[in-house]
Short mmCIF file of all heavy atoms in Angstrom, two decimals:
data_model
loop_
_atom_site.label_atom_id
_atom_site.label_comp_id
_atom_site.label_asym_id
_atom_site.label_seq_id
_atom_site.Cartn_x
_atom_site.Cartn_y
_atom_site.Cartn_z
N ARG D 20 -5.29 6.84 -3.53
CA ARG D 20 -6.17 5.77 -3.05
C ARG D 20 -5.63 4.43 -3.53
O ARG D 20 -5.03 4.33 -4.59
CB ARG D 20 -7.59 5.92 -3.61
CG ARG D 20 -8.48 6.87 -2.90
CD ARG D 20 -9.97 6.44 -3.02
NE ARG D 20 -10.46 6.34 -4.39
CZ ARG D 20 -11.60 5.71 -4.71
NH1 ARG D 20 -12.32 5.11 -3.77
NH2 ARG D 20 -12.01 5.68 -5.97
N VAL D 21 -5.86 3.41 -2.73
CA VAL D 21 -5.63 2.03 -3.13
C VAL D 21 -6.98 1.32 -3.04
O VAL D 21 -7.58 1.26 -1.97
CB VAL D 21 -4.59 1.32 -2.24
CG1 VAL D 21 -4.50 -0.16 -2.63
CG2 VAL D 21 -3.23 1.98 -2.36
N ILE D 22 -7.45 0.83 -4.16
CA ILE D 22 -8.70 0.06 -4.20
C ILE D 22 -8.33 -1.41 -4.04
O ILE D 22 -7.62 -1.97 -4.87
CB ILE D 22 -9.44 0.28 -5.53
CG1 ILE D 22 -9.67 1.77 -5.78
CG2 ILE D 22 -10.75 -0.49 -5.54
CD1 ILE D 22 -10.52 2.46 -4.74
N THR D 23 -8.82 -2.04 -2.99
CA THR D 23 -8.42 -3.42 -2.71
C THR D 23 -9.38 -4.45 -3.27
O THR D 23 -8.98 -5.59 -3.53
CB THR D 23 -8.30 -3.65 -1.20
OG1 THR D 23 -9.60 -3.61 -0.60
CG2 THR D 23 -7.41 -2.59 -0.54
N LEU D 24 -10.66 -4.09 -3.40
CA LEU D 24 -11.74 -5.02 -3.74
C LEU D 24 -11.88 -6.13 -2.70
O LEU D 24 -12.51 -7.16 -2.97
CB LEU D 24 -11.55 -5.63 -5.13
CG LEU D 24 -11.63 -4.65 -6.31
CD1 LEU D 24 -11.52 -5.41 -7.64
CD2 LEU D 24 -12.92 -3.84 -6.28
N GLY D 25 -11.33 -5.92 -1.52
CA GLY D 25 -11.48 -6.88 -0.44
C GLY D 25 -12.72 -6.59 0.39
O GLY D 25 -13.30 -5.52 0.34
N HIS D 26 -13.11 -7.56 1.19
CA HIS D 26 -14.29 -7.39 2.04
C HIS D 26 -13.94 -6.66 3.34
O HIS D 26 -14.72 -5.81 3.80
CB HIS D 26 -14.90 -8.75 2.36
CG HIS D 26 -15.44 -9.46 1.16
ND1 HIS D 26 -16.47 -8.96 0.39
CD2 HIS D 26 -15.09 -10.64 0.58
CE1 HIS D 26 -16.73 -9.79 -0.60
NE2 HIS D 26 -15.90 -10.82 -0.52
N ALA D 27 -12.81 -6.98 3.93
CA ALA D 27 -12.46 -6.37 5.21
C ALA D 27 -11.98 -4.93 5.03
O ALA D 27 -12.46 -4.01 5.70
CB ALA D 27 -11.37 -7.19 5.91
N ARG D 28 -11.05 -4.71 4.15
CA ARG D 28 -10.55 -3.37 3.87
C ARG D 28 -10.78 -3.07 2.40
O ARG D 28 -10.20 -3.69 1.53
CB ARG D 28 -9.05 -3.28 4.19
CG ARG D 28 -8.43 -1.93 3.81
CD ARG D 28 -6.92 -1.95 3.91
NE ARG D 28 -6.47 -1.93 5.28
CZ ARG D 28 -6.33 -0.83 6.01
NH1 ARG D 28 -6.62 0.35 5.50
NH2 ARG D 28 -5.91 -0.89 7.25
N GLN D 29 -11.63 -2.09 2.13
CA GLN D 29 -11.98 -1.80 0.75
C GLN D 29 -11.08 -0.75 0.12
O GLN D 29 -10.99 -0.66 -1.10
CB GLN D 29 -13.44 -1.34 0.68
CG GLN D 29 -14.41 -2.43 1.12
CD GLN D 29 -15.85 -1.99 1.02
OE1 GLN D 29 -16.14 -0.83 0.79
NE2 GLN D 29 -16.76 -2.93 1.21
N ALA D 30 -10.42 0.08 0.93
CA ALA D 30 -9.55 1.12 0.40
C ALA D 30 -8.42 1.38 1.37
O ALA D 30 -8.51 1.11 2.57
CB ALA D 30 -10.33 2.41 0.14
N ALA D 31 -7.31 1.90 0.83
CA ALA D 31 -6.13 2.23 1.64
C ALA D 31 -5.37 3.32 0.89
O ALA D 31 -5.89 3.91 -0.06
CB ALA D 31 -5.28 0.99 1.87
N ARG D 32 -4.12 3.56 1.32
CA ARG D 32 -3.30 4.54 0.62
C ARG D 32 -1.95 4.00 0.20
O ARG D 32 -1.28 4.59 -0.63
CB ARG D 32 -3.06 5.78 1.53
CG ARG D 32 -4.20 6.78 1.53
CD ARG D 32 -3.69 8.17 1.86
NE ARG D 32 -2.73 8.65 0.90
CZ ARG D 32 -1.54 9.20 1.21
NH1 ARG D 32 -1.17 9.31 2.48
NH2 ARG D 32 -0.74 9.63 0.26
N ALA D 33 -1.54 2.87 0.75
CA ALA D 33 -0.18 2.39 0.48
C ALA D 33 -0.16 0.86 0.43
O ALA D 33 -0.94 0.19 1.12
CB ALA D 33 0.79 2.92 1.52
N VAL D 34 0.76 0.35 -0.39
CA VAL D 34 0.95 -1.09 -0.57
C VAL D 34 2.44 -1.37 -0.55
O VAL D 34 3.22 -0.69 -1.23
CB VAL D 34 0.36 -1.59 -1.91
CG1 VAL D 34 0.60 -3.08 -2.08
CG2 VAL D 34 -1.11 -1.27 -2.02
N LEU D 35 2.87 -2.34 0.23
CA LEU D 35 4.28 -2.74 0.26
C LEU D 35 4.43 -4.06 -0.49
O LEU D 35 3.75 -5.05 -0.19
CB LEU D 35 4.77 -2.90 1.70
CG LEU D 35 6.24 -3.33 1.86
CD1 LEU D 35 7.19 -2.36 1.17
CD2 LEU D 35 6.59 -3.48 3.34
N VAL D 36 5.32 -4.04 -1.49
CA VAL D 36 5.59 -5.22 -2.31
C VAL D 36 6.99 -5.73 -2.01
O VAL D 36 7.97 -4.97 -2.06
CB VAL D 36 5.48 -4.88 -3.82
CG1 VAL D 36 5.84 -6.10 -4.67
CG2 VAL D 36 4.07 -4.39 -4.15
N ARG D 37 7.09 -7.01 -1.66
CA ARG D 37 8.38 -7.68 -1.49
C ARG D 37 8.37 -8.95 -2.32
O ARG D 37 7.48 -9.78 -2.18
CB ARG D 37 8.64 -8.04 -0.03
CG ARG D 37 9.03 -6.87 0.87
CD ARG D 37 9.29 -7.36 2.27
NE ARG D 37 9.60 -6.27 3.19
CZ ARG D 37 9.55 -6.36 4.51
NH1 ARG D 37 9.19 -7.52 5.07
NH2 ARG D 37 9.84 -5.33 5.27
N GLY D 38 9.37 -9.08 -3.15
CA GLY D 38 9.40 -10.25 -4.03
C GLY D 38 8.17 -10.25 -4.92
O GLY D 38 7.83 -9.26 -5.55
N SER D 39 7.46 -11.37 -4.94
CA SER D 39 6.27 -11.48 -5.79
C SER D 39 4.98 -11.17 -5.05
O SER D 39 3.90 -11.26 -5.64
CB SER D 39 6.19 -12.91 -6.36
OG SER D 39 6.03 -13.85 -5.31
N ARG D 40 5.09 -10.75 -3.76
CA ARG D 40 3.90 -10.66 -2.93
C ARG D 40 3.66 -9.25 -2.39
O ARG D 40 4.59 -8.46 -2.20
CB ARG D 40 4.01 -11.61 -1.73
CG ARG D 40 4.17 -13.06 -2.09
CD ARG D 40 2.88 -13.66 -2.60
NE ARG D 40 3.08 -14.97 -3.22
CZ ARG D 40 2.11 -15.68 -3.75
NH1 ARG D 40 0.87 -15.22 -3.74
NH2 ARG D 40 2.36 -16.84 -4.32
N VAL D 41 2.39 -8.99 -2.13
CA VAL D 41 2.01 -7.86 -1.28
C VAL D 41 2.18 -8.31 0.17
O VAL D 41 1.68 -9.38 0.55
CB VAL D 41 0.55 -7.45 -1.54
CG1 VAL D 41 0.07 -6.43 -0.51
CG2 VAL D 41 0.39 -6.90 -2.94
N VAL D 42 2.90 -7.53 0.98
CA VAL D 42 3.12 -7.94 2.37
C VAL D 42 2.47 -6.99 3.37
O VAL D 42 2.40 -7.31 4.57
CB VAL D 42 4.64 -8.05 2.68
CG1 VAL D 42 5.28 -9.12 1.81
CG2 VAL D 42 5.34 -6.72 2.51
N TRP D 43 1.97 -5.85 2.90
CA TRP D 43 1.31 -4.90 3.81
C TRP D 43 0.44 -3.96 3.00
O TRP D 43 0.81 -3.52 1.91
CB TRP D 43 2.35 -4.10 4.59
CG TRP D 43 1.79 -3.08 5.54
CD1 TRP D 43 1.40 -3.29 6.82
CD2 TRP D 43 1.58 -1.68 5.28
NE1 TRP D 43 0.93 -2.11 7.39
CE2 TRP D 43 1.04 -1.11 6.46
CE3 TRP D 43 1.79 -0.87 4.17
CZ2 TRP D 43 0.72 0.24 6.56
CZ3 TRP D 43 1.46 0.48 4.25
CH2 TRP D 43 0.94 1.02 5.44
N VAL D 44 -0.75 -3.66 3.52
CA VAL D 44 -1.65 -2.67 2.94
C VAL D 44 -2.16 -1.80 4.08
O VAL D 44 -2.63 -2.32 5.10
CB VAL D 44 -2.85 -3.35 2.23
CG1 VAL D 44 -3.77 -2.30 1.62
CG2 VAL D 44 -2.37 -4.32 1.16
N GLY D 45 -2.06 -0.48 3.93
CA GLY D 45 -2.48 0.38 5.03
C GLY D 45 -2.78 1.80 4.60
O GLY D 45 -2.56 2.19 3.45
N ASP D 46 -3.30 2.57 5.57
CA ASP D 46 -3.67 3.96 5.31
C ASP D 46 -2.52 4.93 5.53
O ASP D 46 -2.42 5.95 4.83
CB ASP D 46 -4.83 4.37 6.22
CG ASP D 46 -6.10 3.61 5.90
OD1 ASP D 46 -6.44 3.51 4.72
OD2 ASP D 46 -6.75 3.12 6.85
N ASP D 47 -1.66 4.65 6.48
CA ASP D 47 -0.58 5.57 6.85
C ASP D 47 0.76 4.98 6.42
O ASP D 47 1.22 3.99 7.01
CB ASP D 47 -0.59 5.80 8.37
CG ASP D 47 0.40 6.87 8.80
OD1 ASP D 47 1.21 7.30 7.96
OD2 ASP D 47 0.35 7.27 9.98
N PRO D 48 1.40 5.54 5.40
CA PRO D 48 2.69 5.00 4.94
C PRO D 48 3.74 4.93 6.05
O PRO D 48 4.65 4.09 5.98
CB PRO D 48 3.11 5.96 3.83
CG PRO D 48 1.84 6.60 3.36
CD PRO D 48 0.96 6.69 4.58
N ARG D 49 3.61 5.80 7.07
CA ARG D 49 4.60 5.78 8.15
C ARG D 49 4.51 4.51 8.98
O ARG D 49 5.46 4.17 9.70
CB ARG D 49 4.40 7.00 9.05
CG ARG D 49 4.66 8.34 8.35
CD ARG D 49 4.24 9.51 9.21
NE ARG D 49 2.80 9.46 9.51
CZ ARG D 49 2.16 10.36 10.23
NH1 ARG D 49 2.83 11.39 10.76
NH2 ARG D 49 0.86 10.26 10.45
N GLN D 50 3.40 3.81 8.90
CA GLN D 50 3.22 2.58 9.66
C GLN D 50 3.67 1.34 8.89
O GLN D 50 3.57 0.23 9.42
CB GLN D 50 1.74 2.43 10.05
CG GLN D 50 1.19 3.57 10.89
CD GLN D 50 1.92 3.69 12.22
OE1 GLN D 50 2.21 2.68 12.87
NE2 GLN D 50 2.24 4.91 12.62
N ALA D 51 4.14 1.53 7.69
CA ALA D 51 4.55 0.39 6.87
C ALA D 51 5.79 -0.29 7.46
O ALA D 51 6.63 0.37 8.09
CB ALA D 51 4.83 0.84 5.45
N PRO D 52 5.94 -1.59 7.28
CA PRO D 52 7.18 -2.27 7.69
C PRO D 52 8.39 -1.67 6.97
O PRO D 52 8.25 -0.97 5.96
CB PRO D 52 6.94 -3.72 7.27
CG PRO D 52 5.46 -3.85 7.16
CD PRO D 52 4.96 -2.52 6.70
N PRO D 53 9.58 -1.92 7.47
CA PRO D 53 10.79 -1.39 6.81
C PRO D 53 10.84 -1.78 5.33
O PRO D 53 10.48 -2.89 4.95
CB PRO D 53 11.93 -2.04 7.60
CG PRO D 53 11.34 -2.35 8.94
CD PRO D 53 9.92 -2.71 8.67
N HIS D 54 11.30 -0.83 4.51
CA HIS D 54 11.38 -1.08 3.08
C HIS D 54 12.54 -0.29 2.50
O HIS D 54 12.99 0.71 3.07
CB HIS D 54 10.07 -0.69 2.39
CG HIS D 54 9.55 0.65 2.80
ND1 HIS D 54 8.77 0.83 3.93
CD2 HIS D 54 9.71 1.89 2.25
CE1 HIS D 54 8.46 2.12 4.05
NE2 HIS D 54 9.04 2.78 3.05
N GLU D 55 13.02 -0.75 1.37
CA GLU D 55 14.19 -0.14 0.74
C GLU D 55 13.81 1.06 -0.13
O GLU D 55 14.54 2.05 -0.19
CB GLU D 55 14.92 -1.19 -0.09
CG GLU D 55 16.23 -0.69 -0.70
CD GLU D 55 16.97 -1.77 -1.46
OE1 GLU D 55 16.44 -2.90 -1.55
OE2 GLU D 55 18.09 -1.50 -1.95
N HIS D 56 12.69 0.95 -0.82
CA HIS D 56 12.30 1.99 -1.78
C HIS D 56 10.88 2.48 -1.51
O HIS D 56 10.06 1.75 -0.93
CB HIS D 56 12.36 1.46 -3.21
CG HIS D 56 13.69 0.91 -3.61
ND1 HIS D 56 14.79 1.71 -3.83
CD2 HIS D 56 14.10 -0.38 -3.82
CE1 HIS D 56 15.82 0.94 -4.16
NE2 HIS D 56 15.42 -0.32 -4.17
N ARG D 57 10.62 3.68 -1.96
CA ARG D 57 9.27 4.25 -1.90
C ARG D 57 8.99 4.94 -3.23
O ARG D 57 9.83 5.68 -3.74
CB ARG D 57 9.13 5.23 -0.74
CG ARG D 57 7.82 6.02 -0.75
CD ARG D 57 7.63 6.83 0.50
NE ARG D 57 6.51 7.76 0.38
CZ ARG D 57 5.80 8.23 1.40
NH1 ARG D 57 6.11 7.85 2.65
NH2 ARG D 57 4.80 9.07 1.21
N LEU D 58 7.79 4.70 -3.77
CA LEU D 58 7.36 5.36 -5.00
C LEU D 58 6.05 6.08 -4.72
O LEU D 58 5.04 5.45 -4.38
CB LEU D 58 7.16 4.34 -6.13
CG LEU D 58 6.65 4.90 -7.45
CD1 LEU D 58 7.64 5.89 -8.05
CD2 LEU D 58 6.35 3.78 -8.45
N ASP D 59 6.08 7.40 -4.83
CA ASP D 59 4.88 8.20 -4.62
C ASP D 59 4.17 8.40 -5.95
O ASP D 59 4.74 8.96 -6.90
CB ASP D 59 5.24 9.55 -4.01
CG ASP D 59 5.65 9.42 -2.55
OD1 ASP D 59 4.78 9.10 -1.73
OD2 ASP D 59 6.85 9.61 -2.25
N LEU D 60 2.93 7.95 -6.01
CA LEU D 60 2.11 8.07 -7.21
C LEU D 60 1.07 9.16 -6.97
O LEU D 60 -0.14 8.91 -6.93
CB LEU D 60 1.45 6.73 -7.54
CG LEU D 60 2.43 5.58 -7.82
CD1 LEU D 60 1.73 4.24 -7.77
CD2 LEU D 60 3.10 5.79 -9.19
N ASP D 61 1.55 10.38 -6.79
CA ASP D 61 0.67 11.50 -6.47
C ASP D 61 -0.33 11.71 -7.60
O ASP D 61 0.02 11.72 -8.78
CB ASP D 61 1.47 12.77 -6.26
CG ASP D 61 2.41 12.67 -5.04
OD1 ASP D 61 2.07 11.90 -4.12
OD2 ASP D 61 3.46 13.33 -5.04
N GLY D 62 -1.58 11.90 -7.23
CA GLY D 62 -2.62 12.11 -8.22
C GLY D 62 -3.08 10.83 -8.89
O GLY D 62 -3.83 10.88 -9.87
N GLY D 63 -2.63 9.69 -8.37
CA GLY D 63 -2.98 8.41 -8.98
C GLY D 63 -3.69 7.49 -8.02
O GLY D 63 -3.79 7.75 -6.81
N VAL D 64 -4.19 6.40 -8.57
CA VAL D 64 -4.88 5.39 -7.78
C VAL D 64 -4.35 4.02 -8.18
O VAL D 64 -4.03 3.77 -9.34
CB VAL D 64 -6.41 5.48 -7.99
CG1 VAL D 64 -6.78 5.26 -9.44
CG2 VAL D 64 -7.16 4.50 -7.10
N VAL D 65 -4.23 3.13 -7.19
CA VAL D 65 -3.73 1.76 -7.40
C VAL D 65 -4.86 0.78 -7.13
O VAL D 65 -5.65 0.97 -6.19
CB VAL D 65 -2.54 1.45 -6.48
CG1 VAL D 65 -2.13 -0.01 -6.58
CG2 VAL D 65 -1.35 2.34 -6.82
N GLY D 66 -4.96 -0.24 -7.94
CA GLY D 66 -5.95 -1.29 -7.73
C GLY D 66 -5.46 -2.61 -8.27
O GLY D 66 -4.34 -2.71 -8.80
N PRO D 67 -6.28 -3.65 -8.15
CA PRO D 67 -5.91 -4.93 -8.77
C PRO D 67 -5.75 -4.76 -10.27
O PRO D 67 -6.55 -4.08 -10.92
CB PRO D 67 -7.10 -5.83 -8.44
CG PRO D 67 -7.81 -5.18 -7.30
CD PRO D 67 -7.60 -3.71 -7.48
#
């Protein structure tokens, strides 16, 4: 799970980080923009 604490999207499964910024948040990792690396945090949760 990804806990966003946002109003529009409260939860997701994946976050794409480029440089100092988050550039994409979504439910399906296959829909993420192109990226060089992937880190699977199985059994974990990401939040602010």
Side-chain angles (χ1 to χ4, degrees):
R20 278 209 301 165
V21 175
I22 306 298
T23 69
L24 295 184
H26 295 298
R28 175 190 286 277
Q29 297 181 351
R32 278 207 61 229
V34 179
L35 179 58
V36 177
R37 285 182 183 163
S39 63
R40 301 286 168 181
V41 171
V42 298
W43 179 86
V44 180
D46 294 313
D47 187 350
R49 295 171 299 180
Q50 300 299 317
H54 47 275
E55 185 177 3
H56 303 288
R57 171 172 170 154
L58 177 63
D59 287 292
L60 299 165
D61 296 332
V64 60
V65 173

